[in-house]
Amino acid sequence: DAGVTQSPTHLIKTRGQHVTLRCSPISGHKSVSWYQQVLGQGPQFIFQYYEKEERGRGNFPDRFSARQFPNYSSELNVNALLLGDSALYLCASSLTPVGGYGYTFGSGTRLTVV
Amino acid sequence: AQRVTQPEKLLSVFKGAPVELKCNYSYSGSPELFWYVQYSRQRLQLLLRHISRESIKGFTADLNKGETSFHLKKPFAQEEDSAMYYCALTPSGQAGTALIFGKGTTLSVSS
């Protein structure tokens, strides 16, 4: 099993652009969550999807959106990028949307906005 | 408000010394508590969760609901324990809820 895979690993964008980040969960995992980790901070919750439906949303502006596909992979989209969006974006998968079993994290996508 | 506090940004100990990484939480309901670890150049991974009451790599953590704490302990630190440690909580049994992380503590074990 390849684990949780994220792409790309790094990217650089200009302010105002939009970006799409991708995540493939562990085989059999139907829930995908997205987290933003700014340098020096713990990860912060952005979204959770389960069975292609949004099940939870963190305190992020509407510029952030996501979706989950029938194969349970997921995309995170960020529009009108700001310098403050520079961060490591983590994807985590789990069997169910109930977090008690813990999450398996991907290696993340490092986004730099210039 | 739900919050996880890790008061120490950095904890430096010598090999063989006991380790205690502190974690306090604020949550009105019944949370599930976790410790995640990130070794250098590796992904964030689950170390242990309070409901399983297991010992992983010699680490244990006991949930103290009275003190709202979930400190991580190991009697004898090893150099390979050097890593970033995050305490996290999630509401028990609720779908669609987030893991709420603390800011993390860097553990540095030297010989």
Side-chain angles (χ1 to χ4, degrees):
Chain A
D1 191 347
V4 179
T5 57
Q6 292 187 244
S7 63
T9 54
H10 299 83
L11 75 166
I12 300 174
K13 290 285 189 178
T14 304
R15 271 183 302 174
Q17 286 187 314
H18 77 273
V19 67
T20 298
L21 311 180
R22 295 178 175 82
C23 171
S24 293
I26 287 175
S27 177
H29 283 194
K30 297 181 179 181
S31 181
V32 170
S33 300
W34 288 95
Y35 287 79
Q36 181 195 64
Q37 187 173 19
V38 173
L39 200 61
Q41 304 287 324
Q44 277 207 296
F45 174 65
I46 310 175
F47 288 109
Q48 184 189 72
Y49 276 77
Y50 178 69
E51 292 282 16
K52 297 166 295 211
E53 290 187 3
E54 182 183 304
R55 291 296 194 99
R57 171 187 281 255
N59 189 23
F60 279 79
D62 291 343
R63 299 185 295 107
F64 288 76
S65 64
R67 55 180 176 167
Q68 187 177 34
F69 299 99
N71 66 354
Y72 304 111
S73 67
S74 177
E75 283 182 354
L76 175 70
N77 294 284
V78 187
N79 293 324
L81 284 167
L82 303 174
L83 295 179
D85 295 330
S86 295
L88 180 67
Y89 288 85
L90 297 170
C91 172
S93 77
S94 57
L95 283 166
T96 76
V98 178
Y101 294 99
Y103 295 87
T104 302
F105 282 86
S107 298
T109 294
R110 172 74 61 189
L111 172 65
T112 302
V113 182
V114 297
Chain B
Q2 303 168 14
R3 184 163 47 239
V4 174
T5 302
Q6 294 179 251
E8 302 137 330
K9 201 169 183 178
L10 172 66
L11 183 63
S12 296
V13 302
F14 287 107
K15 179 181 170 182
V19 170
E20 183 178 51
L21 299 169
K22 291 184 167 53
C23 172
N24 291 91
Y25 67 91
S26 172
Y27 183 68
S28 57
S30 178
E32 298 198 27
L33 275 296
F34 304 85
W35 277 98
Y36 280 81
V37 61
Q38 188 165 30
Y39 300 101
S40 179
R41 301 183 187 279
Q42 293 188 28
R43 61 186 67 189
L44 192 62
Q45 57 187 282
L46 178 65
L47 180 61
L48 55 80
R49 48 195 170 106
H50 89 271
I51 56 173
S52 60
R53 294 185 165 273
E54 36 188 7
S55 172
I56 305 292
K57 300 185 178 184
F59 285 98
T60 59
D62 289 319
L63 179 59
N64 185 323
K65 291 185 179 180
E67 295 183 357
T68 60
S69 68
F70 188 56
H71 302 328
L72 184 68
K73 300 178 183 179
K74 185 170 182 177
F76 307 104
Q78 319 233 330
E79 290 181 73
E80 54 264 33
D81 297 328
S82 296
M84 175 70 90
Y85 291 81
Y86 293 97
C87 181
L89 74 78
T90 193
S92 179
Q94 293 183 31
T97 50
L99 269 176
I100 298 164
F101 286 87
K103 291 186 178 182
T105 298
T106 299
L107 174 63
S108 175
V109 182
S110 55
S111 56

